[in-house]
Amino acid sequence: LKNWPSLLLAVLFFAVLVKVLLKGMANGLQWVTNAPVINNVIMPTDTTTGNLGVNLMTRYLLPFEAISILLMMVLVGAAHLSRKEGMRMILLTHFLIISAALFCIGLYMVISKSNAIQVLIGIELILNAAILNLVAFGRYDKLMNNGQTFAIFAIVLAAATTAVALAIILNVYRRYKTIEPDSINQLKD
Amino acid sequence: MNLTLILFYAMAFITIGSALYVAYSKSLMRSVFMFFITLFGLAGLYVFAMADFVAITQIVIYVGGILVLILFAFMLSGRETLDRLKDAPSLSG
């Protein structure tokens, strides 16, 4: 008997209640003793359903309506809460759209900018778009975690790429005094 | 409207908006610093894609490594890099 304290408490409380009820003498209350005199006791031949219906529609109409509205609100709220719980996942399409926007911005920077560092930032944006794609799809691969693993690989590769690219840019700047990719054409001839 | 969705859309707006500013800005300095914000927004998006470790890695390596590297190279290369953005003369060639 593991939970004997709660059992003891319940038994004690039951004893107290029985004591109070026996002391109170509910049978001796005045309106209870008066009821048979004025014919106010429910008899086995009465139709309780009809009485309840009349009572609910006449005397207790306002509480009845209030409680029905409360029930409706609670039901709608519960449905809403449970629906939200299911909608917690953000759709994959949103991630893909953001990734596509980042990719296009990076592509624009790579094509149009005349500064090598800005071109490099554009490349970083493109890489980030790819990593976002990997991560967003990786949410649906809990067992293998391929997406997130390759995202980490891609981040480290991007770091290595950037270091080398910056070293190249610095050397080019030291040699040509410019970092505009279009004007570095000594290798051409 | 879910709080998660609101945060997600705010993150997406910050990311794409700052990326657009990176592409739009003429000043390389502002461009680099807005790229900072883009990377942080992307880290937030990774969190929403249930990839918290990748988000931390993004902040540590990208923001702490790559961006500081870019800023370092950019600062070391001197003022002429900034000025060259404005008039962009082609010295050689």
Side-chain angles (χ1 to χ4, degrees):
Chain A
L1 210 60
K2 254 193 321 197
N3 43 8
W4 60 271
S6 52
L7 191 67
L8 183 69
L9 189 68
V11 169
L12 278 180
F13 195 65
F14 181 68
V16 169
L17 275 183
V18 167
K19 178 81 173 170
V20 167
L21 285 178
L22 288 183
K23 277 272 184 191
M25 285 190 299
N27 269 327
L29 288 178
Q30 196 181 359
W31 65 274
V32 176
T33 50
N34 258 354
V37 180
I38 57 173
N39 199 8
N40 203 8
V41 182
I42 296 177
M43 285 299 162
T45 53
D46 286 341
T47 56
T48 323
T49 315
N51 282 343
L52 276 180
V54 170
N55 245 344
L56 282 181
M57 279 302 132
T58 54
R59 193 171 174 187
Y60 295 108
L61 184 59
L62 191 62
F64 182 69
E65 286 299 323
I67 212 164
S68 64
I69 288 176
L70 177 74
L71 180 63
M72 191 189 70
M73 279 164 51
V74 167
L75 280 183
V76 170
H80 191 63
L81 282 180
S82 55
R83 190 183 58 89
K84 254 186 184 170
E85 204 64 41
M87 282 246 318
R88 191 55 60 85
M89 298 247 293
I90 298 157
L91 286 179
L92 188 57
T93 320
H94 295 167
F95 283 108
L96 299 188
I97 289 173
I98 295 169
S99 165
L102 282 179
F103 184 87
C104 292
I105 293 169
L107 192 66
Y108 165 77
M109 284 186 72
V110 169
I111 292 175
S112 71
K113 291 297 178 183
S114 61
N115 188 320
I117 290 182
Q118 277 182 316
V119 172
L120 190 63
I121 291 176
I123 293 173
E124 296 298 323
L125 275 178
I126 291 176
L127 276 170
N128 266 305
I131 293 169
L132 184 59
N133 258 358
L134 285 175
V135 167
F137 275 105
R139 192 176 48 167
Y140 298 98
D141 187 16
K142 191 185 172 187
L143 289 180
M144 309 277 291
N145 258 329
N146 282 332
Q148 298 190 16
T149 314
F150 275 91
I152 292 169
F153 283 147
I155 288 175
V156 176
L157 281 180
T161 315
T162 313
V164 174
L166 276 173
I168 291 174
I169 286 174
L170 279 184
N171 270 324
V172 163
Y173 179 72
R174 205 173 298 151
R175 187 182 176 102
Y176 293 95
K177 294 294 169 204
T178 179
I179 52 173
E180 189 180 347
D182 288 336
S183 59
I184 302 162
N185 48 10
Q186 208 178 41
L187 214 60
K188 196 168 60 181
D189 43 2
Chain B
M1 196 71 175
N2 207 340
L3 185 63
T4 316
L5 270 183
I6 295 174
L7 278 177
F8 173 76
Y9 284 127
M11 248 358 140
F13 177 76
I14 288 172
T15 307
I16 294 182
S18 59
L20 277 176
Y21 191 81
V22 168
Y24 167 76
S25 172
K26 291 273 182 265
S27 157
L28 182 55
M29 204 66 189
R30 286 185 183 176
S31 181
V32 168
F33 275 106
M34 283 311 267
F35 189 54
F36 208 74
I37 295 173
T38 310
L39 290 178
F40 268 114
L42 270 170
L45 285 179
Y46 294 164
V47 171
F48 281 113
M50 310 294 155
D52 29 18
F53 183 75
V54 180
I56 296 298
T57 313
Q58 164 96 359
I59 290 178
V60 169
I61 294 186
Y62 254 108
V63 181
I66 296 180
L67 211 59
V68 170
L69 203 63
I70 290 177
L71 274 179
F72 219 75
F74 169 60
M75 302 272 195
L76 277 183
S77 66
R79 272 196 72 81
E80 296 94 71
T81 319
L82 257 178
D83 300 336
R84 209 160 300 285
L85 259 179
K86 285 170 189 153
D87 35 44
S90 52
L91 289 185
S92 70

